[in-house]
Amino acid sequence: MPSTAIARFDYDAAQHRLDVQFVSGKRYSYHDVPAEIAEGMRAATSKGGYFNRRIRDRYRFTRQCWITPP
């Protein structure tokens, strides 16, 4: 899954949540994402392009803040 924008992503089918980690290191969870949208991203040649067209600005999201212990 080479992408210049998205480092990795995972879909939780039970919660309809798409977790996306960008190459910048920022992580977001997109909520109420239908399984067919997540599958479309998995199959897309351009993950970043698919994300921008079909997910970004269409689904509620929360930013995941990770605190690194000292």
Side-chain angles (χ1 to χ4, degrees):
M1 181 198 88
S3 175
T4 57
I6 297 173
R8 64 184 309 269
F9 67 94
D10 188 43
Y11 183 67
D12 183 327
Q15 294 189 18
H16 301 276
R17 188 186 73 233
L18 181 69
D19 296 322
V20 179
Q21 180 178 345
F22 293 91
V23 294
S24 67
K26 293 180 181 176
R27 299 176 189 193
Y28 293 84
S29 291
Y30 292 84
H31 306 280
D32 303 317
V33 177
E36 58 269 15
I37 295 294
E39 186 53 40
M41 185 161 169
R42 193 172 317 283
T45 303
S46 170
K47 308 302 186 209
Y50 184 88
F51 173 83
N52 286 332
R53 286 189 312 276
R54 303 296 305 270
I55 298 166
R56 185 175 147 210
D57 299 329
R58 293 179 182 251
Y59 296 96
R60 181 176 59 88
F61 67 89
T62 53
R63 181 165 179 207
Q64 303 304 313
C65 297
W66 304 104
I67 299 172
T68 307

